[in-house]
Amino acid sequence: MDVQRWLSSAVAAVEDWQDSFGPYQPDASMRISDERFASVFGEFTQRLRNNYPFFHPSYAGQMLKPAHPAAVVGYLTAMLINPNNHALDGGPATGQMEKEAVAELAAMFGFGTHLGHLTSSGTIANLEALYVARELHPGKGIAYSEEAHYTHARMCGVLGVEGTPVAVDGAGRMDPAALDALLAGGRIGTVVATAGTTGLGAIDPVHEVLAVARRHGVRVHVDAAYGGFFTLLAGLADRAGLDEAPWRAISGCDSVVVDPHKHGLQPYGCGAVLFADPEVGRFYLHDSPYTYFTSGDLHLGEISLECSRAGASAAALWLTLRLLPLTPDGLGQVLAAGRRAALDWAALISQSGRLELYQQPELDIVCYFPVTAPATLSRIDAASVQMLDHGMKRERPVFLSTLRVTAAGMSQRHPGIEADAGGARILRSVLMKPETEGYVGELHARAEQLAAQAAG
Ligand SMILES: Cc1ncc(COP(=O)(O)O)c(C=O)c1O
């Protein structure tokens, strides 16, 4: 895709639409000459060089990558109009696009009925799910795994609800037996299952969590902010294919969050929350005297906690989904390549004398650490941090990230490592760009070199 070409088409299309309203004079107070802009823009683009190369396969660190060019063009085109999807009065076209895109997300998870909308982030989307959970089970707490995203505990605090972490198994997945014991106490109203944890990419057994929760009359919310689009690989007869059970179970849960700004190729901020029961819309009722006047149809602000939201986000997602639909051979191909990259790198690390795999990747996150002598947590911590640091400073840099693991987590997986500290930082690479599949050999070679240096 030639982004320059499509951006100029975007400007032309919007100007053509603007011209249909007749001429007007922009105010002098807003005028900026091209010469003045050029000098500031030069400084601005220079400042932006201070960034990590998220686009390049040598960036194998955090959950970050550029948006798809189609999403960028979609976003910028709509942004020239700057609709606000709070109300259909603020953005009739993008409001409709949002409803269509959200319906596609609901269908991807197999929701028969749904109520949902985009949000500015996964955090806000989860906040909405927990808010509805609180309204439906007043006075009851919310449970989530020890490996759940940190914002669940934070949002429980915001909502004034007691949050309780549930123990995980040896692969970082919620332990259904521990959940059963907790729910038997009767204090919990909602359990959050994470389909793809942020640290390890572990998938809670949603099907088992759902069965346990239903036995106790408890709601289930699925945080699939990071992992949700991997549902496209469920049951696929391909080595990137995933066990269907947890993914298919999402259709029976009460709510789900997925972040198009993570694996959906979208710019920040684009999260989404979906409820299976449209009746929960009643918890959002408000009576503002200054909204909603051109349409009797449902306004997105009537079913969301946030007020203003970028219509451009919905436009970008809608356009992207028309081009890369939510099918195994559409967006699924993009995720499958990252998943194969993770499997390939994990296989190389398993055979390496310099690196050790923390655990087998379930999605596209690979966690590993340098082999050190002595094999202690403090040596692993220091060597991992050195690898992170030196990797970025090399002539041909490689960008990694670290993950803090507990002594218990390490000894469950690697009993030979001496726990001389409470935990250690290890290395974590999110392989979310499909281009990484062809770059795994290079990443591995560089990581092995760094590990050799760090151990020496
Ligand atoms: C599982 C999970 N939940 C929630 C979040 C928070 O999402 P956001 O950063 O969009 O607020 C993340 C972010 O990585 C995540 O991985």
Side-chain angles (χ1 to χ4, degrees):
M1 250 189 82
D2 179 348
V3 177
Q4 282 195 348
R5 173 184 162 198
W6 291 110
L7 284 182
S8 61
S9 296
V11 173
V14 173
E15 281 180 356
D16 183 54
W17 170 74
Q18 288 172 335
D19 286 347
S20 70
F21 295 94
Y24 76 106
Q25 273 305 313
D27 192 77
S29 62
M30 302 274 279
R31 224 169 276 149
I32 291 167
S33 72
D34 278 338
E35 294 70 37
R36 221 182 116 223
F37 187 78
S39 78
V40 179
F41 191 63
E43 182 192 343
F44 168 75
T45 51
Q46 201 55 38
R47 294 278 290 262
L48 283 181
R49 293 181 74 91
N50 179 22
N51 253 310
Y52 300 104
F54 308 124
F55 70 97
H56 197 275
S58 63
Y59 184 87
Q62 308 257 49
M63 210 174 272
L64 284 161
K65 66 173 178 180
H68 191 283
V72 172
V73 174
Y75 195 100
L76 291 173
T77 309
M79 203 192 64
L80 292 171
I81 301 166
N82 204 20
N84 181 339
N85 271 15
H86 169 69
L88 292 168
D89 321 298
T94 51
Q96 190 52 38
M97 286 179 188
E98 177 164 336
K99 289 182 185 179
E100 291 173 27
V102 166
E104 289 181 51
L105 294 175
M108 176 178 79
F109 289 117
F111 272 27
T113 54
H114 76 274
L115 185 84
H117 60 89
L118 302 180
T119 61
S120 57
S121 69
T123 301
I124 296 299
N126 278 317
L127 170 67
E128 297 217 7
L130 302 191
Y131 161 70
V132 167
R134 184 192 73 180
E135 297 304 294
L136 283 167
H137 289 289
K140 296 240 169 149
I142 292 173
Y144 39 79
S145 98
E146 286 169 344
E147 294 278 339
H149 197 262
Y150 76 93
T151 48
H152 289 289
R154 172 176 286 184
M155 291 307 170
C156 281
V158 169
L159 292 167
V161 171
E162 191 185 357
T164 306
V166 181
V168 293
D169 67 11
R173 299 175 291 222
M174 182 183 278
D175 176 358
L179 178 68
D180 197 20
L182 175 68
L183 298 192
R187 286 180 15 252
I188 303 293
T190 297
V191 57
V192 178
T194 305
T197 60
T198 317
L200 298 169
I203 304 158
D204 284 348
V206 181
H207 49 304
E208 294 174 40
V209 168
L210 183 62
V212 171
R214 292 298 187 241
R215 250 197 335 269
H216 293 281
V218 162
R219 270 176 83 75
V220 180
H221 167 61
V222 181
D223 179 2
Y226 149 66
F229 290 104
F230 280 98
T231 196
L232 298 172
L233 306 185
L236 220 62
D238 179 285
R239 71 191 182 92
L242 299 170
D243 175 16
E244 281 187 287
W247 301 103
R248 299 287 175 245
I250 295 176
S251 65
C253 295
D254 299 294
S255 53
V256 60
V257 156
V258 62
D259 270 3
H261 70 200
K262 292 189 170 61
H263 265 301
L265 308 174
Q266 298 307 297
Y268 298 109
C270 188
V273 61
L274 306 164
F275 296 96
D277 178 8
E279 290 297 311
V280 302
R282 68 186 183 278
F283 298 120
Y284 289 97
L285 282 179
H286 65 91
D287 58 0
S288 78
Y290 34 74
T291 49
Y292 316 140
F293 37 89
T294 56
S295 171
D297 289 351
L298 182 75
H299 298 264
L300 291 159
E302 293 180 281
I303 54 160
S304 68
L305 288 183
E306 292 176 276
C307 181
S308 296
R309 275 188 307 102
S313 279
L317 181 60
W318 184 90
L319 185 62
T320 309
L321 294 184
R322 291 295 287 264
L323 297 158
L324 287 164
L326 297 174
T327 55
D329 50 4
L331 182 65
Q333 288 300 307
V334 179
L335 281 101
R339 166 96 185 108
R340 287 192 298 267
L343 292 173
D344 290 347
W345 198 5
L348 290 174
I349 294 172
S350 301
Q351 289 153 23
S352 168
R354 302 253 180 235
L355 296 168
E356 192 141 357
L357 200 57
Y358 183 66
Q359 70 171 48
Q360 185 63 22
E362 286 197 62
L363 295 174
D364 62 1
I365 299 179
V366 186
C367 294
Y368 50 99
F369 54 93
V371 173
T372 60
T376 61
L377 287 179
S378 55
R379 276 292 292 130
I380 289 170
D381 183 84
S384 297
V385 171
Q386 185 181 322
M387 284 178 67
L388 173 79
D389 191 46
H390 286 193
M392 289 189 275
K393 289 185 183 146
R394 289 163 67 97
E395 200 170 304
R396 292 174 61 209
V398 60
F399 302 88
L400 310 172
S401 70
T402 60
L403 171 72
R404 194 181 300 277
V405 298
T406 61
M410 180 65 97
S411 71
Q412 257 182 318
R413 294 165 177 85
H414 300 277
I417 287 169
E418 189 193 327
D420 64 341
R425 280 163 293 181
I426 62 168
L427 293 156
R428 168 174 166 273
S429 291
V430 186
L431 306 184
M432 66 194 309
K433 294 184 288 285
E435 294 79 15
T436 307
E437 194 178 5
Y439 203 78
V440 166
E442 178 74 11
L443 279 178
H444 183 64
R446 294 196 202 182
E448 277 204 317
Q449 281 169 3
L450 289 167
Q453 263 179 9

